[in-house]
Amino acid sequence: MATRTEATPEVGTAADLADRAARSIPGGVNSPVRAFRSVGLPPVFAESARGSQVHASGGRTYIDYIGSWGPMILGHAHPEIVEAVVRAAERGTSFGLATQEEVLFAEEIRAAVPSMDRVRLVSSGTEATMSAIRLARAATGRDVVVKFDGCYHGHADGLLVAAGSGAATFGVPDSPGVPRAYAACTAVAPFNDLPALARLFEARGEEIAAVIVEPVAGNMGCVPPGEGFLHGLRDLCRSTGALLILDEVMTGFRLAYGGAQELYGLTPDLTCLGKIVGGGLPLAAYGGRADLMDRVSPAGPVYQAGTLSGNPLAVAAGRAMLRLLREEGVYARLEEASAFLEAALLAEIPADVPARLQRVGSMLTLFFRREPVVDFATARASDLGAFRAFYGAMLDQGILLPPSQFEAWFVSLAHSHDDLSRTAQAAGRALARLPRDG
Ligand SMILES: *Cc1c(COP(=O)(O)O)cnc(C)c1O
């Protein structure tokens, strides 16, 4: 049994802190990827962050491309967002009542993403996808949801599902604790493979409530949709009565103000938002067609609720974020910085190192593989040993990348050309140390 002791302000070295963390928190972290296990390094403990930089416990400063896994598109601790949160806190941190601010915020989200006639605020991306799927099942009277191998939609039971044997089949639990019966309600198809999806619809079309997809996959590293993939999905859903759920938790307000659906000219039935929309506070949203959303409680019978939903601090941060993103030229500047980093990195990749850079807007991944990465199978064929060596060499040089081959790096508006050049030069040195082809 734990005894009550005074917290010790000075824990010691980063390794001491990690040991101590593991005694109180499973694996020492509150979300698994923060443990840095896939790169075989001790976790970085953040102390503070500003702009493009993270200051870690132990005194090191890094140029950061994790960006809190997406929200920090303006860089860390943007003064206007901080001020909005402080001012909101002074008025009360939570009411459990409707507020004027959340109404204005919903109007702003609808204006940004016109396919969202109605929007419901929740507290995490997981909640958004889970709720959108419940609604899709209720609206269609069908149980099966199709997801793509390598796409991540949060940790709800029905989404922690891996492909079974054979392409596009019944899913199997991807975590202990997920009932087989839940996993059997999820079918898993390979990303970017329309023919496989068409076969799945032929076999089980009448059972399929919805297809959920990351329009640009970011959770297996950055994998763009192939030509015609997203519109093919749209057509397949429309012709079979299934709903298309676009999971824009990562891409929303990142690839364009209106998300990937603006970029690709796509109209989903339901959309999930998270990360950027909350300005770095715990806030996410789902929404879409009015006839669907009006089935959500209390307008309709599909239950969904949340004590902290539409939390005033999170709404204030989200509104400040969206206001800043509406400023002239924001996305052009972000694209310019991202293209600058891409070009600088490409110039540093030696011809005999099997590596490939994939980028869509401000999401990019350096895969340790020569051939295109189009789905999870090809992503997994990357040289993870090379990634690990590269990662360690980058961290040594003060560059903080997401600690997994299967994640996207995020460029923010706070990254200066100097930051980006230094990053590319560090990459050049890290790559020069790797083992070569042949
Ligand atoms: C991060 C993410 C989620 C989950 O969001 P949480 O807020 O971590 O629950 C869902 N979908 C996508 C595409 C994500 O990138």
Side-chain angles (χ1 to χ4, degrees), residues 152-196:
Y152 177 71
H153 306 290
H155 64 89
D157 281 343
L159 291 167
L160 285 185
V161 172
S165 51
T169 172
F170 294 94
V172 295
D174 202 19
S175 163
V178 172
R180 292 195 162 276
Y182 283 22
C185 288
T186 305
V188 183
F191 192 69
N192 269 331
D193 188 346
L194 265 186

Side-chain angles (χ1 to χ4, degrees), residues 56 172 224 229 239 363 384 394:
V172 295
F229 177 64
S239 65
M363 296 164 57
L384 300 183
M394 291 298 274

Side-chain angles (χ1 to χ4, degrees), residues 69 123-127 129 152-155 214 219 247-250 275:
W69 301 95
S123 300
S124 72
T126 294
E127 251 187 289
T129 60
Y152 177 71
H153 306 290
H155 64 89
E214 289 181 70
N219 286 292
D247 181 353
E248 296 230 46
V249 170
M250 188 181 288
K275 299 191 170 128

